[in-house]
Amino acid sequence: MRLPHVRVMGVDPGLTRCGLGAVEGRPGAPLSLVSVGVVRTPADDDIGARLVVIEAEIERWLDELKPDAVAVERVFAQHNVRTVMGTAQASAVAIVCAARRGLPVALHTPSEVKAAITGHGNADKKQVGTMVTRLLRLDAMPKPADAADALALAICHVWRGGVQHRLADALARARSAPRPAPARREDA
């Protein structure tokens, strides 16, 4: 069974830099870059204004690229609470934008993405960027790292989504298959 091509938009959330990237492809086939970029907001701007800028850009991307799914980096605990809060707020904006359109949203942890892209869950940003560059056959590594991370999220979801799709299909087939009649018990 050949899986269909999907377009996935990845979001590496952040208030100062929010990475956005989209790829198209299917598991087991070469992937294609659709678009990559970064939304930047000044650190001294009001939080509400910053989130509105991020929302407007994500909405624009969703309108123009029409992805089949959105993959967002799952927020993980850090020592800097302010950084975690900003990341969580930008993440929520991306999730709401996708949900408003009825798009499936997947959350992937940084180590899950690193393992999918490089084979090692503790890979550094340069290793992730290098593999994104190779996988998408790019001439240069996407910069800044937030852009490469967004593409890595999208790639991870294309690959992991294919596995999830196959599992869902197998489960649906198993549920719809005729069930054998219960064995008749004969008492002696």
Side-chain angles (χ1 to χ4, degrees):
M1 175 178 106
R2 203 170 151 155
L3 294 173
H5 276 248
V6 293
R7 180 174 286 190
V8 177
M9 181 172 142
V11 180
D12 181 37
L15 279 177
T16 305
R17 289 182 318 275
C18 181
L20 302 175
V23 301
E24 193 168 73
R26 61 182 169 80
L31 300 167
S32 301
L33 172 68
V34 176
S35 190
V36 64
V38 175
V39 182
R40 296 175 190 270
T41 66
D44 56 348
D45 277 6
D46 174 69
I47 182 70
R50 295 173 81 185
L51 292 171
V52 167
V53 168
I54 292 167
E55 179 196 25
E57 192 63 12
I58 290 172
E59 291 283 0
R60 186 180 72 75
W61 274 59
L62 292 171
D63 287 342
E64 289 180 13
L65 302 180
K66 300 191 181 342
D68 300 304
V70 176
V72 180
E73 183 176 275
R74 182 182 300 274
V75 178
F76 61 98
Q78 295 176 343
H79 297 294
N80 186 339
V81 175
R82 261 183 99 191
T83 301
V84 170
M85 290 299 294
T87 302
Q89 291 162 337
S91 177
V93 167
I95 293 167
V96 167
C97 290
R100 191 179 291 139
R101 288 172 166 68
L103 292 172
V105 176
L107 301 175
H108 297 285
T109 65
S111 58
E112 178 185 354
V113 174
K114 291 172 184 179
I117 301 301
T118 69
H120 303 285
N122 58 354
D124 63 28
K125 288 198 174 281
K126 185 175 181 189
Q127 290 170 311
V128 171
T130 298
M131 285 307 298
V132 164
T133 304
R134 286 182 184 165
L135 291 168
L136 295 175
R137 300 169 313 283
L138 304 175
D139 294 331
M141 189 181 306
K143 301 247 190 240
D146 310 273
D149 289 349
L151 290 171
L153 277 152
I155 293 167
C156 174
H157 188 69
V158 168
W159 290 349
R160 299 259 166 131
V163 170
Q164 292 165 348
H165 182 75
R166 287 192 300 271
L167 288 171
D169 281 352
L171 184 59
R173 281 193 308 274
R175 286 185 178 150
S176 66
R179 296 180 183 215
R184 289 181 36 165
R185 186 173 165 192
E186 294 183 30
D187 292 345

